[in-house]
Amino acid sequence: MTLKLGRHEFADDATLMMAIVNRTPDSFYDKGATWAEDKAFERVAQVVAEGAEIVDIGGIKAAPGVEIGPAEEMERVVDFVARVRAAYPSLVISVDTWRASVGRAVCEAGADVLNDAWGGADPGLVDVAAEFGAAIVCTHTGGVTPRTRPYRVEYDDVVASTITDTVGYAERAVAAGVSRASVIIDPAHDFGKNTFHSLEVTRRLGELVDTGWPVLVSLSNKDFVGETLDLPVGSRLAGTLAATAVCALAGARIYRVHEVVETRQVVDMVWTIAGRRPPARAIRGLQ
Amino acid sequence: MLPEYAGLVDPVVELRAACLAAVAWLGETGPVEVVADAQGRRVAEALLAAAGGLVSTSSTPDVVETPEGKAAPEAPSAYLVVANGSARRGEKAPGHLDERAAGFDERLGRALRGPDLEALAGLDEGLGAELLVGNTTGLRELGGLLTAEHRAMVDYDDDPFGVQYWVMRWQCES
């Protein structure tokens, strides 16, 4: 099925790079490097030049911290979305928010995708997506409250829970009027999960792909990579790319990333090994 | 040249275009017989198909239905010879550098242009094999198919990967 992300459409075998753009002073990876609007705008220019098809703009870091109300969140992202929309008409703009009120404001400003990292905590978000023809990302968090860390979470079967919740959310979105072509599921590594859960979701990602919904993975520099390799933030690229390769082989379609170029190379390489993409230019042994 | 080995970017745009144009030209005259080894035959069939759904005489049935009844198919009026020069023309060539390759290809190129029927028919198969020439047997056979009345047209003459390729057509002027 063609993937429809707001104003943009993609073939059903396309893989997409979703570059993270933080409008936050405190996100774990960049620690506020793009907090200033101009710095964030430079980041957009950079990832577009690197080939990202999507930018994912977020105004609130995922981890616990100072509470940011809807008004403050909107102040951080709405005008910025409008500025990016005007400068890059062919770029897919996603906004990382769980709030329907923020979703409405960014869709009015030109957003194409609502990336709800918190698994439908605000039930009104799907109605906003439906109203504006926006796509929605349906994540699995195990039902936790937004901006909380997992603590002794247990699942009988984390993958089964992930499929039940994301597919349930996807069907809710369709029932609310979101186009079936505009619904994406995301197992949400590290969200409501310990490292063993995230590793199992990675290992069994094919089961999510088999649901038929396009799968987004957000692996970039996360704690499950850091704990697996005992490496701090800043030293997790190789581990991230290894997890990326496993997800690509399983058939994940969208990759939410800090490093666009490296991820694109890994995904293209694996997609080609899997026989879903031809080599770029093949002459060796064929002369 | 084979569709199953296609990449996103075609590394032989000009060569492929020349091949397709030549094969299309060949197909205009009637049934095409292929002179090639097994791999070259795959290339020939792929080119014929890509040049407008043509097929070679070996791919058509021995007996065809006509309004008048069963009949033998039309005799070939054109030949498609699939071959190439040496693949040992440089250090990056598939067969690395063989100092004899350039001289061999130069003589072969001259014989094709002539056409020099005797030189083609007398090509050294052993040397051809050593120099990784594609289908020396077919080139010798070409010497038997051409006549003194044939004139050569050279559409392509280059060695982009250390392999010598020509795309040439010959037409009988009498």
Side-chain angles (χ1 to χ4, degrees):
Chain A
M1 183 166 62
T2 303
L3 187 59
K4 191 169 176 302
L5 303 179
R7 341 167 139 62
H8 317 275
E9 291 193 2
F10 298 93
D12 61 6
D13 57 352
T15 56
L16 306 174
M17 295 297 129
M18 173 190 262
I20 299 162
V21 178
N22 290 317
R23 288 249 45 232
T24 56
D26 49 5
S27 284
F28 82 101
Y29 184 66
D30 60 37
K31 299 181 174 62
T34 56
W35 170 228
E37 186 179 311
D38 282 348
K39 292 288 179 195
F41 199 71
E42 284 171 22
R43 163 80 179 158
V44 172
Q46 180 198 336
V47 298
V48 167
E50 290 173 346
E53 290 85 1
I54 310 170
V55 287
D56 188 40
I57 298 164
I60 305 182
K61 75 167 178 173
V66 179
E67 188 175 336
I68 308 296
E72 167 71 10
E73 187 184 358
M74 283 190 237
E75 198 167 307
R76 291 181 178 189
V77 297
V78 176
D79 288 349
F80 187 68
V81 166
R83 186 177 168 191
V84 173
R85 175 81 290 146
Y88 300 99
S90 61
L91 182 65
V92 180
I93 300 176
S94 166
V95 173
D96 183 346
T97 186
W98 75 87
R99 289 179 172 130
S101 59
V102 177
R104 168 173 294 282
V106 295
C107 283
E108 283 170 349
D112 301 295
V113 180
L114 296 174
N115 180 18
D116 178 11
W118 292 102
D122 183 339
L125 195 67
V126 289
D127 299 316
V128 174
E131 183 183 337
F132 287 90
I136 190 156
V137 180
C138 305
T139 58
H140 169 264
T141 62
V144 300
T145 303
R147 302 194 64 198
T148 56
R149 293 203 174 97
Y151 182 61
R152 299 182 182 175
V153 178
E154 295 291 341
Y155 298 97
D156 288 337
D157 179 338
V158 66
V159 175
S161 171
T162 301
I163 290 173
T164 301
D165 287 8
T166 56
V167 169
Y169 189 177
E171 294 294 355
R172 265 203 316 286
V174 171
V178 179
S179 162
R180 217 163 245 287
S182 299
V183 179
I184 299 147
I185 63 171
D186 172 5
H189 288 71
D190 276 5
F191 280 60
K193 298 174 190 67
N194 63 34
T195 288
F196 298 94
H197 295 141
S198 293
L199 292 170
E200 183 166 359
V201 164
T202 308
R203 188 162 58 244
R204 294 171 58 193
L205 196 85
E207 293 175 45
L208 271 85
V209 173
D210 288 344
T211 65
W213 297 101
V215 174
L216 179 153
V217 285
S218 181
L219 311 164
S220 202
N221 300 292
K222 279 187 169 172
D223 279 349
F224 83 98
V225 175
E227 289 196 355
T228 298
L229 300 177
D230 193 18
L231 287 172
V233 172
S235 303
R236 298 174 178 175
L237 179 57
T240 297
L241 295 177
T244 300
V246 171
C247 292
L249 194 60
R253 298 280 305 282
I254 304 177
Y255 300 79
R256 183 175 177 274
V257 299
H258 297 105
E259 286 91 3
V260 173
V261 173
E262 294 87 343
T263 312
R264 171 49 78 192
Q265 286 180 10
V266 166
V267 170
D268 280 354
M269 189 70 208
V270 173
W271 216 250
T272 306
I273 290 168
R276 306 180 197 125
R277 170 190 178 274
R281 182 179 184 279
I283 192 66
R284 180 178 176 77
L286 299 170
Q287 301 99 322
Chain B
M1 284 292 153
L2 292 167
E4 56 267 41
Y5 293 137
L8 295 174
V9 177
D10 186 353
V12 288
V13 174
E14 287 176 29
L15 176 62
R16 187 185 309 276
C19 287
L20 287 171
V23 169
W25 172 84
L26 204 57
E28 286 169 10
T29 60
V32 177
E33 185 160 321
V34 171
V35 177
D37 56 19
Q39 202 172 40
R41 182 164 295 281
R42 287 165 64 205
V43 171
E45 299 293 352
L47 285 171
L48 284 163
L54 302 169
V55 290
S56 70
T57 51
S58 59
S59 301
T60 53
D62 291 339
V63 176
V64 293
E65 299 282 344
T66 70
E68 290 79 36
K70 290 179 195 274
E74 235 182 308
S77 58
Y79 293 86
L80 173 56
V81 180
V82 183
N84 57 262
S86 174
R88 305 193 63 177
R89 293 176 57 86
E91 293 191 349
K92 299 238 168 124
H96 204 256
L97 175 65
D98 187 310
E99 301 287 355
R100 298 170 297 172
F104 182 94
D105 284 341
E106 197 190 326
R107 289 191 298 279
L108 174 54
R110 218 167 28 238
L112 290 167
R113 280 187 173 80
D116 182 337
L117 314 183
E118 233 172 87
L120 286 172
L123 281 172
D124 182 339
E125 297 243 11
L127 181 57
E130 284 180 37
L131 296 178
L132 300 183
V133 172
N135 194 17
T136 311
T137 310
L139 291 167
R140 285 167 59 104
E141 203 175 320
L142 176 62
L145 291 169
L146 294 172
T147 67
E149 276 73 49
H150 279 93
R151 286 293 163 265
M153 294 169 275
V154 183
D155 298 322
Y156 184 97
D157 175 356
D158 204 355
D159 65 340
F161 310 106
V163 183
Q164 176 63 49
Y165 307 115
W166 294 277
V167 178
M168 296 180 69
R169 293 172 289 145
W170 294 266
Q171 191 162 27
C172 188
E173 293 204 326
S174 63

